[in-house]
Amino acid sequence: MYTHVYSINDPMARAEAGRVILNGGLVAFATETVYGLGGDATNEMAVAKIFAYKARPLYNPLISHVHDARSAFAIGQATSAALAMADVFWPGPLTLVMKLMDGFPLACLTSANMDTVAIRVPGDPTTRALLSEIGRPIAAPSANRSGRLSPTTADHVIAEGFDGLKIILDGGCCMLGVESTVLDVSSGIPRLLRPGAVTQEQIEEVVGPIKLASDNARLLSPGMLASHYAPIASLRLNATELWDGEVGLDFAGQLGADMDLSSLGDLLEAASNLFAYLRTLDLPGIKTIAVAPIPRRGLGVAINDRLQRAAV
Ligand code: TXA
Ligand code: MG
């Protein structure tokens, strides 16, 4: 079946997308981080469809997207850390894991049957317009098949070839290009489960010292599988020169390669280019992509995290 690509700025298109979702269908839509594959988070069948489309393991729970903090705290139990974080970083690229509110009719599959729920209020106003029109939490993982690169354009979503996906709401290139920071604020000291655009330093300014995802993070956040975002070619990280037969993915001109995530060394620009450039270089015949070192500060932490997962 044919996939319609509409601008997410078009209110008629958003209304149609809303109808599809309320009827249990799926819609791919732009956010400021990556494109999501969304369905009604309270509809077990709709969420099952998301898992099937992505071939995603059922034990890996999804993020529920809502248009404001008030809606978020109707689903997740607010702790003082949750409130403080929401106040500073919502709307934005931050996902908070909270205890699920008693009686909230979230589909069991959305939270993989756990007693916690991951919630985020996206930064892009048109994404929030879509969510507020629908009036229900939208479960949306990145709109790619499980274990593959996250899409940062509508074309990337089309390339995944989701059979029967009716609508993509196109918002152009995602501004940030890496997925949201996931922080567990369900109890005790907050724990960083996935690095993202909101950095550890920024979080600690608000809630004080936090815990980092350790080796048992797989249990805490099942999505943190070591191998993730894998392109087909292999990656050689922290390359300081190009070897025979390699193509280069550069940063700040260190390798002299044509593809440079940011020739000026801007980490924000590099993050927004990351997944698109990896896709471009991931061609048949290319065995190894050599990636220049990227500083591990600010957004560089999330970029290095995604590169490491892609390299496994
Ligand atoms: O930027 C983003 O977050 C994108 C856009 C579409 O919003 N979404 C996204 O979703 O990256 P996904 O499903 O690819 O990643 C969700 C992450 C996974 O690592 C998952 O394990 C974790 O959030 N997660 C979800 N619910 C959780 C929970 N209850 N406890 C711990 N981790 C959870
Ligand atoms: Mg994903």
Side-chain angles (χ1 to χ4, degrees):
M1 195 183 44
Y2 191 72
T3 306
H4 295 279
V5 181
Y6 301 125
S7 167
I8 195 169
N9 297 314
D10 175 359
M12 304 275 282
R14 289 202 305 266
E16 189 179 337
R19 279 191 293 275
V20 168
I21 288 181
L22 288 174
N23 283 322
L26 305 186
V27 167
F29 61 96
T31 81
E32 84 279 30
T33 58
V34 300
Y35 278 71
L37 179 66
D40 179 351
T42 66
N43 180 335
E44 211 75 58
M45 283 299 292
V47 179
K49 248 184 248 173
I50 297 178
F51 280 96
Y53 265 44
K54 287 184 55 99
R56 180 178 175 115
L58 289 176
Y59 56 77
N60 190 2
L62 308 178
I63 297 172
S64 294
H65 297 66
V66 293
H67 76 279
D68 65 5
R70 209 167 139 242
S71 321
F73 293 125
I75 307 170
Q77 295 177 26
T79 55
S80 56
L83 290 170
M85 288 300 294
D87 204 39
V88 178
F89 295 107
W90 276 351
L94 172 75
T95 296
L96 295 177
V97 173
M98 294 180 269
K99 286 247 156 46
L100 181 63
M101 197 68 93
D102 286 336
F104 189 87
L106 196 77
C108 296
L109 275 177
T110 303
S111 54
N113 232 350
M114 301 196 294
D115 63 354
T116 53
V117 57
I119 309 181
R120 120 172 166 88
V121 180
D124 193 309
T126 49
T127 313
R128 289 203 304 282
L130 172 75
L131 296 169
S132 89
E133 282 156 28
I134 294 171
R136 286 189 199 167
I138 302 306
S142 48
N144 54 278
R145 289 175 196 274
S146 195
R148 308 287 307 163
L149 296 172
S150 296
T152 54
T153 66
D155 279 347
H156 294 165
V157 180
I158 293 171
E160 294 294 319
F162 294 124
D163 206 18
L165 178 66
K166 286 197 201 119
I167 297 181
I168 300 175
L169 291 178
D170 186 348
C173 286
C174 298
M175 229 232 314
L176 292 172
V178 293
E179 302 86 343
S180 61
T181 302
V182 180
L183 185 72
D184 185 341
V185 286
S186 59
S187 62
I189 296 171
R191 184 189 291 266
L192 183 63
L193 298 179
R194 179 173 77 181
V198 175
T199 64
Q200 182 187 349
E201 296 75 34
Q202 288 175 311
I203 297 170
E204 292 188 327
E205 266 177 38
V206 177
V207 296
I210 59 172
K211 293 190 237 170
L212 301 183
S214 53
D215 289 339
N216 61 2
R218 178 192 277 236
L219 298 173
L220 300 167
S221 188
M224 298 307 283
L225 302 175
S227 169
H228 213 96
Y229 315 105
I232 292 156
S234 70
L235 299 188
R236 186 166 68 83
L237 303 183
N238 300 310
T240 49
E241 56 184 11
L242 280 182
W243 294 347
D244 265 1
E246 289 182 337
V247 295
L249 181 59
D250 216 343
F251 180 76
Q254 299 173 89
L255 299 172
D258 286 341
M259 296 285 281
D260 198 324
L261 289 168
S262 171
S263 51
L264 294 174
D266 176 0
L267 289 166
L268 197 67
E269 184 185 17
S272 70
N273 287 331
L274 179 66
F275 290 137
Y277 283 17
L278 280 173
R279 276 170 197 264
T280 306
L281 291 177
D282 189 19
L283 298 169
I286 291 181
K287 286 218 182 61
T288 308
I289 304 170
V291 188
I294 294 168
R296 290 171 188 275
R297 57 179 157 76
L299 252 179
V301 177
I303 296 174
N304 277 292
D305 171 77
R306 304 308 188 271
L307 281 170
Q308 247 136 33
R309 284 167 211 291
V312 179

